[in-house]
Amino acid sequence: MAMVALAATLDVSGVFAAPAPPAASAKRIQLTAHDEPVRDVLLRLGELAHLNVTIADDVRGNVNLSLHDATAEEAVHAVCVQLALRCVRDGRTIAVYAQSSVVVPLSIMRAGRAADMVRRLFPRLGVRVDAPANALVLAGTQADIQAARSVIGGLDVRDATKPTTEAIALRTQPAQTVADRLRPLYPAAKITVLSRTTMLVSATPPDLAQIKTLVAGIDAPTPPPVSQPVSSDAVRVSQRRPQDVARAVTAQIPHVRAAVSGTSITLTGSPDDVNRAKALIAQLDLPPYGARYVQIYRIHNVDAKSVAALIQRSFPGVAVTVDADLNAISVTANAGEHQRIGDGIAAIDGTGANAQNPAAGGGGGAPSSHEVIQLKSIVPGAGGQGAATTTPQDIGAAVQAALQGSFPDLRVTVPNGTQQLILTGSPQSIRAGRELIAELDVVPQSVVLDTEILELDENSSRNLGLQLGTASLSTTFTEIQPTPDPNGNAGRLIGIAPFTRTTPIQFSATLNLLISNGKARVLADPRITTLSGRTATIRAGDTLSILTTTGGGTGTIATQQLQSFQTGVTLDITPIITNNGELTVALHPVVNSLTGLVNGIPEISTRDTQTTVHLRDNETLVIGGLIQESSQRTETKIPLLGSLPLIGGAFRNNNTTSTRNELIIVVTPHILNGSATSTVPSAAIPPGMIVPTPRPLPTVPPNTAFPTGSPALRQTQIPSQITPPPPPAAVGTPVPRTLPAATGPPTPQSTPAALSQANVYVYGSPPPNTYAAPGEAPQIFYAMFSPTVLSPNATVRVSAITTTNVQRLTIGVGTTNISLSSLGTGIWQGVFSANALGLSPTATTVQLSLIASRNDGQSATIPIPVSLIH
């Protein structure tokens, strides 16, 4: 019988809150319930007593009772007491609740006073007082008990007007000092110093809370000092004494520690101070006036020998050495001559100031370019298990990591969904990356696999002995009908008449003398070609499919599924060609065979093995020993006779069946030579298109005058003196660049020469990858604007790199915007006159906006501040 939990203390003395009318009390009830739900019993009792019964949702349980001539009050009392329910009557209505009890201890208020207040507020709640424990025992519904506990919690508190005493411990400040600061603020509080770190405070609860908050602020621990980042760097000094340079740096930047180690100075300090010190060393480490030193210049677009001959004609006292392999020259001259030579080489080569530091080995001021490389060795990665899949991302990451130290300006970008790499950087960096990719992007050789799969099946069967037929012993007996008596009546009914045999006894048996042997040979001779390192799969067999039904029970839907089972031979072969022309072959043969059916489901027997061997070209590998044997014997015999000793064998029949199956796999790999190696097909060359071939660099024309002037003049001198080389075309034969004869001295620009070195605005840096999905936000990674000091007729040059989903890039101010030209996906450039920007003739500064936008209107903007001169 299911019962609700009984309360710890049950108060049923006053079950009914109000007396019942006499008519209802006089009603006698006859009620019997055997393990019935209490809700049904109460409702039936209400119908019999003509009462309205309301039952709470949490009333559960079954009751057993038998009432005879009971009043309504007695019947309700019997039900409520049995299940520990609380029944409250109000007139002709009875409310039934599931009650529980709880003990509520009191710490400040007396229990008797609290009980009086709870009884007035919650008349349906049973309240008992435990005076020795100063606690209340509450019995009733969970909702009433929870509400009563909330009320008791609000009553059982201290008087807010009475002082409270509490000890406060201090961690950092002396207790006497804190107490002296608190007494003037809280004169009504009593503050006593107990020790150096503890004080006793007696105050009203509001004042005590404020005092504790104030003490927490005064006694807060001192925050630890913020550690400044420390940077260390070593700077090599080649022209001055390192000790003199270190003393000068220490005197100018006191927070930097400069230590001399050989010819280098080690700088230690904050990153900003170290950068200032490095800039100061660069200014101090200059050769003495008139001293001659060696400087290396790398030439990118002109033959170095012709440049060296031009320098020797222009500077007779300068020593020039040519390195043809690097296309560089080594010049020994003083500082003034080096300045003029560097400016002239920049104008001739069209690369800017490109004096190289031999230790750096970088590209100096060489312009950044890009090149697209089509990979050949990338093949789909849908091979079997163990197939090594190489992606363009793998090759790009390897090249970037290998050349990062030697060529930090090299960036490798891998467009998604292609087999291409985009190399961005100086020509030297791109050449090094291209050479490394050529070594990695090697199409693997192909391997032809000749396989033979032999399956030998041997069967033997023996059926010997005497085998009984279906009816070995048979005959027919017939009862003779009784003879009638003389009166013609039937014979007697009791007794058995004589029997007679109508057919003779028949005996049948079969003598089996059968011995059979059989052999079968199944041969498969597949041939397959695969790449080195890729897995080839050979499968010869059948697929067994059965239709299964699941579900179909009560409340479920029957579904049918087609299950497939593979039988036959599956062979996975992975050949890898080694450097010496041999092969390492990994093989995994699997043999599945059908052995029977259990409840309509096939039983599959599996034989497999894994091995890795090292073979020479055209060497044969044999895998055998995959044997499966089965034997079955059945014996039948004539009863009794077949069990006799010695002669019992003549009355027995033995049937023996033996099966032996062996699988032999033969593999012979052949390496295809270069002419047979499969390659990834490339795009067909259109008719009439000429494949570009390497051509030597152009030389400086005879009688060319060496360029002179400051870097500020080179901007106008380059177009008139030497035409910069055009960018390399994707197809066609490069046309040699010819340099015109020297012309007269160029006209200087109006831009001051002092501003020429800092007259460029650069934002960000070129990213390793510019790809962005069509729905992603556009972004500007890199932008370069020159000059930043504009005159009305100045020529403005803008270059930028954005995400690949940018369709339009403009620059301007207000409503005037100029669109830039796209040189490739995410690469933009523009050259125009400053007058096209529509700048104000009276303004001295203006802020331009470079806006990258998509067709749907989403855009990204960066500001570019410029100055105006009129």
Side-chain angles (χ1 to χ4, degrees), residues 155 433 575 684 842 867:
L155 297 174
T842 59
S867 300

Side-chain angles (χ1 to χ4, degrees), residues 409-670:
D409 61 326
L410 178 64
R411 296 292 181 269
V412 182
T413 305
V414 184
N416 287 351
T418 65
Q419 297 181 4
Q420 296 176 338
L421 298 180
I422 301 177
L423 303 182
T424 305
S426 63
Q428 290 78 14
S429 301
I430 293 178
R431 182 175 62 184
R434 183 173 58 250
E435 294 174 354
L436 181 56
I437 292 174
E439 297 179 5
L440 297 176
D441 187 30
V442 178
V443 179
Q445 288 184 267
S446 297
V447 180
V448 177
L449 301 170
D450 287 334
T451 60
E452 292 183 0
I453 302 174
L454 294 86
E455 187 175 4
L456 303 180
D457 192 359
E458 298 181 4
N459 297 323
S460 62
S461 177
R462 295 185 179 183
N463 191 0
L464 303 175
L466 186 65
Q467 183 177 5
L468 297 177
T470 55
S472 299
L473 294 173
S474 64
T475 187
T476 301
F477 292 91
T478 304
E479 183 180 6
I480 301 175
Q481 295 294 332
T483 304
D485 57 10
N487 297 327
N489 297 324
R492 62 182 184 276
L493 299 176
I494 300 176
I496 299 176
F499 286 89
T500 179
R501 179 168 55 86
T502 59
T503 58
I505 298 176
Q506 297 179 356
F507 176 81
S508 63
T510 302
L511 180 61
N512 294 324
L513 297 173
L514 177 63
I515 299 177
S516 63
N517 292 314
K519 291 186 179 181
R521 183 169 182 252
V522 181
L523 174 63
D525 187 14
R527 170 176 290 191
I528 191 170
T529 303
T530 185
L531 296 177
S532 174
R534 307 292 294 180
T535 300
T537 300
I538 300 172
R539 182 178 178 273
D542 300 324
T543 300
L544 304 178
S545 299
I546 62 172
L547 190 64
T548 60
T549 303
T550 59
T554 303
T556 60
I557 300 175
T559 59
Q560 293 183 340
Q561 297 180 355
L562 187 65
Q563 294 186 358
S564 299
F565 300 88
Q566 304 291 339
T567 62
V569 181
T570 301
L571 178 61
D572 293 336
I573 309 176
T574 305
I576 299 177
I577 303 176
T578 60
N579 294 332
N580 57 358
E582 298 180 351
L583 297 103
T584 299
V585 183
L587 297 100
H588 181 202
V590 180
V591 182
N592 295 324
S593 57
L594 179 65
T595 58
L597 295 174
V598 177
N599 297 327
I601 299 177
E603 281 190 342
I604 306 298
S605 175
T606 301
R607 289 171 289 166
D608 69 329
T609 183
Q610 291 185 2
T611 182
T612 302
V613 296
H614 189 78
L615 302 175
R616 296 184 180 89
D617 188 15
N618 301 325
E619 190 173 2
T620 300
L621 169 67
V622 179
I623 300 177
L626 298 176
I627 302 174
Q628 183 179 15
E629 288 189 83
S630 62
S631 178
Q632 183 178 5
R633 180 178 180 183
T634 304
E635 182 183 72
T636 59
K637 62 183 178 179
I638 299 176
L640 300 178
L641 297 179
S643 301
L644 294 176
L646 300 178
I647 64 173
F651 302 96
R652 288 195 295 266
N653 182 77
N654 295 321
N655 190 356
T656 304
T657 303
S658 299
T659 303
R660 186 177 187 274
N661 182 280
E662 180 178 4
L663 185 69
I664 300 175
I665 299 174
V666 180
V667 179
T668 305
H670 309 283

Side-chain angles (χ1 to χ4, degrees), residues 39 120 397 593 611 715 742:
R39 304 177 68 89
R120 289 198 300 269
S593 57
T611 182
Q715 203 166 22

